[in-house]
């Protein structure tokens, strides 16, 4: 039997048109953009072109696009880079993040606390996983070096009021980073319009290649480089450019933006069919995250009386690839910190399941999934 992939928030397959655009830079146009000869110039032109394309699509300027090796790297550079630099200038040593962050943000902030003398404060979220703006206003002051909150959460799909958060940070003069890895795959993200200072994204979440990402970096936000060496990326990120990856990322972002409205309309219908079916046919099942302000492809649940990890294994054997909250937590059956942070009981938080749809998900896939799931939940509850 065919395996059905329902885990597009973990990663997506490379788009074939995108691969065609990358191909020349893997073979004949293989030069190093930092070389001054013909081969280097050709590669540099491709990188510049990708930079301009991405800037236009994200409402930023070319100099603000900083190429990285992943979403995690962008989060690291933004938080460490800005925190170290701001502490040097202002003595500020507090870091504000929410309880809903990807581990690339959480682990980075806590490393800064445990090894480098910073102090982390967790921002509160409501029961839908949306940042509590009043609490942010209460705790933010001049001693904060950086605020980082996820744009759209990978585990529960909720979308934060990014512009409002940015405005609160700027009233106090604090730089604001957002992990936009999920958001950039599914929403129309406007860097300047929303007054974001630092925005991380990764190509493999929107049908681009793995191992390449970007940090959009507002002019004037000082950062201490985390990878030192060559002069690439305004000396903020040394290392020979991943030319085919960068070309692929820009092409994938262009395609995503071009088809966004139409794709989202179709995918929301499919997602809502899953949500309505599960909530009406499976007893003691609950949607997690916000019912409306959520990623268009994202359906996440908790089921009373089961361990989500067991359900993911059972689904895998039945031919469906889903996730227990976030991809990074498979094999580690602890209740999700994100769900605990939203006020769920540890028992209920253990029973989580995430289904994320993509451009190869068909109505038939969903029918088959909805046929199988209730029986598996029933079996695991016994
Ligand atoms: C996937 C993901 C990341 C990590 O991106 P990588 O490119 O895999 O390092 C970070 N944040 C969120 C919200 C994600 O979904």
């Amino acid at each position: 039997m065919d395996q059905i992939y329902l885990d597009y928030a973990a990663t997506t397959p490379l788009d074939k048109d995108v691969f065609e655009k990358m191909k020349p830079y893997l073979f004949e146009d293989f030069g190093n953009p930092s070389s001054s000869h013909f081969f280097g110039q050709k590669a540099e032109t491709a990188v510049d072109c990708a930079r301009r394309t991405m800037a236009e699509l994200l409402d930023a300027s070319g100099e603000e696009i900083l190429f990285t090796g992943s979403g995690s790297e962008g989060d690291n550079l933004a938080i460490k880079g800005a925190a170290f630099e701001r502490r040097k200038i202002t003595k500020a040593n507090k870091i504000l993040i929410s309880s809903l962050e990807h581990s690339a943000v959480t682990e980075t902030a806590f490393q800064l606390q445990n090894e480098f003398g910073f102090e982390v404060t967790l921002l509160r979220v409501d029961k839908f996983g949306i940042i509590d703006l009043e609490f942010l206003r209460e705790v933010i002051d001049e001693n904060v070096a950086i605020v980082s909150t996820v744009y759209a959460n990978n585990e529960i799909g909720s979308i934060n009021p990014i512009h409002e958060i940015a405005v609160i940070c700027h009233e106090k003069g604090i730089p604001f980073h957002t992990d936009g890895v999920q958001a950039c795959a599914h929403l129309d993200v406007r860097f300047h319009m929303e007054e974001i200072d630092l925005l991380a994204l990764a190509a493999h979440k929107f049908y681009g290649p793995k191992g390449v990402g970007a940090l959009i970096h507002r002019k004037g936000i000082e950062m201490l480089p985390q990878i030192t060496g060559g002069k690439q990326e305004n000396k903020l990120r040394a290392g020979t450019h991943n030319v085919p990856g960068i070309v692929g990322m820009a092409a994938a972002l262009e395609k995503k933006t071009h088809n966004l409205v139409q794709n989202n309309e179709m995918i929301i219908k499919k997602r809502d069919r899953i949500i309505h079916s599960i909530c009406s046919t499976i007893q003691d099942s609950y949607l997690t995250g916000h019912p409306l302000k959520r990623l268009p492809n994202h359906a996440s649940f908790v089921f009373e009386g089961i361990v989500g990890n067991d359900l993911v294994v059972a689904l895998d054997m039945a031919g469906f690839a889903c996730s227990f909250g976030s991809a990074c937590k498979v094999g580690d059956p602890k209740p999700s910190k994100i769900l605990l942070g939203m006020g769920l009981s540890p028992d209920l938080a253990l029973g989580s399941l995430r289904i994320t749809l993509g451009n190869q998900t068909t109505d038939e896939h969903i029918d088959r999934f909805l046929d199988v799931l209730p029986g598996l939940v029933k079996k695991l509850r016994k």
Side-chain angles (χ1 to χ4, degrees):
M1 205 178 91
D2 299 344
Q3 295 284 318
I4 293 172
Y5 188 74
L6 297 170
D7 197 16
Y8 288 83
T11 195
T12 60
L14 182 62
D15 182 278
K16 291 204 168 64
D17 297 335
V18 168
F19 178 58
E20 287 307 318
K21 295 206 167 131
M22 293 167 64
K23 241 166 146 179
Y25 300 97
L26 287 158
F27 299 106
E28 59 270 28
D29 301 324
F30 61 88
N32 184 333
S34 303
S35 308
S36 53
H37 50 58
F38 175 84
F39 291 88
Q41 294 298 297
K42 194 139 189 205
E44 194 188 18
T45 305
V47 170
D48 285 347
C49 182
R51 204 187 293 283
R52 275 198 304 276
T53 302
M54 289 192 52
E56 205 168 298
L57 294 169
L58 294 166
D59 183 30
S61 70
E63 315 89 85
E64 291 173 319
I65 310 289
L66 214 155
F67 294 120
T68 64
S70 65
S72 301
E73 191 194 320
D75 286 335
N76 270 262
L77 175 56
I79 296 169
K80 289 183 183 152
F84 281 128
E85 202 59 34
R86 235 181 100 71
R87 185 169 68 175
K88 266 202 312 209
I89 302 163
T90 68
K91 305 276 184 285
N93 78 329
K94 284 205 263 180
I95 296 171
L96 304 187
I97 63 169
S98 77
S99 57
L100 283 182
E101 299 306 309
H102 187 274
S103 50
V105 168
T106 314
E107 296 295 316
T108 303
F110 281 103
Q111 190 195 57
L112 287 171
Q113 171 168 286
N114 299 335
E115 308 283 343
F116 297 97
F118 285 90
E119 201 183 296
V120 177
T121 302
L122 288 185
L123 296 170
R124 279 193 206 136
V125 298
D126 68 9
K127 63 177 176 175
F128 298 124
I130 308 270
I131 303 279
D132 178 341
L133 297 177
E134 279 316 306
F135 186 74
L136 170 61
R137 278 197 195 92
E138 272 170 42
V139 295
I140 194 168
D141 59 29
E142 311 71 62
N143 281 323
V144 174
I146 178 101
V147 176
S148 177
T149 70
V150 70
Y151 195 131
N153 178 272
N154 51 301
E155 196 170 313
I156 53 160
S158 295
I159 301 169
N160 273 314
I162 288 303
H163 184 236
E164 277 101 317
I165 298 171
V167 168
I168 294 171
C169 295
H170 293 158
E171 279 166 4
K172 299 278 181 199
I174 314 296
F176 171 55
H177 166 61
T178 183
D179 174 338
V181 177
Q182 290 295 330
C184 288
H186 302 285
L187 308 173
D188 185 24
V189 173
R190 317 295 303 161
F191 180 75
H192 274 290
M193 204 160 90
E194 297 178 79
E195 300 183 53
I196 301 167
D197 295 318
L198 295 156
L199 170 82
L201 60 99
H204 74 104
K205 302 288 173 100
F206 49 87
Y207 308 95
K210 293 178 178 53
V212 63
L215 179 66
I216 322 306
H217 164 241
R218 185 185 289 271
K219 266 177 265 174
I221 302 289
E222 301 289 336
M223 289 196 302
L224 185 72
Q226 301 299 303
I227 301 179
T228 46
K231 295 192 176 58
Q232 291 91 351
E233 304 304 277
N234 299 324
K235 292 197 198 161
L236 285 168
R237 200 271 189 181
T240 300
H241 292 101
N242 173 357
V243 181
I246 288 166
V247 168
M249 174 162 61
L253 191 68
E254 200 165 24
K255 192 159 176 176
K256 166 242 147 183
T257 308
H258 186 72
N259 299 325
L260 190 69
V261 174
Q262 205 186 350
N263 280 352
N264 281 355
E265 221 169 84
M266 287 190 303
I267 217 157
I268 285 172
K269 276 193 200 134
K270 293 192 173 86
R271 177 201 69 188
D272 286 350
R273 197 152 74 79
I274 292 180
I275 293 175
H276 294 143
S277 169
I278 289 183
C279 291
S280 61
T281 61
I282 302 181
Q283 261 185 14
D284 300 317
S285 65
Y286 308 95
L287 181 73
T288 54
H290 199 282
L292 300 172
K293 290 178 212 156
R294 66 184 302 128
L295 290 167
N297 71 325
H298 197 293
S300 56
F301 305 90
V302 284
F303 300 97
E304 234 170 85
I306 67 158
V307 175
N309 203 34
D310 296 343
L311 182 56
V312 168
V313 172
L315 279 165
D316 188 36
M317 291 197 299
F320 301 94
C322 306
S323 154
F324 169 52
S326 112
C328 316
K329 296 202 187 84
V330 173
D332 179 16
K334 282 197 209 103
S336 145
K337 282 194 192 132
I338 288 180
L339 295 176
L340 295 178
M342 287 159 59
L344 268 72
S345 73
D347 277 353
L348 194 53
L350 205 52
S352 66
L353 178 71
R354 178 184 78 182
I355 300 130
T356 45
L357 313 179
N359 65 7
Q360 283 161 34
T361 310
T362 65
D363 280 314
E364 198 227 324
H365 290 166
I366 293 172
D367 291 338
R368 278 162 65 184
F369 177 75
L370 291 173
D371 275 349
V372 166
L373 183 71
L376 292 179
V377 172
K378 206 168 166 189
K379 216 162 103 188
L380 288 169
R381 276 177 173 165
K382 276 195 182 142

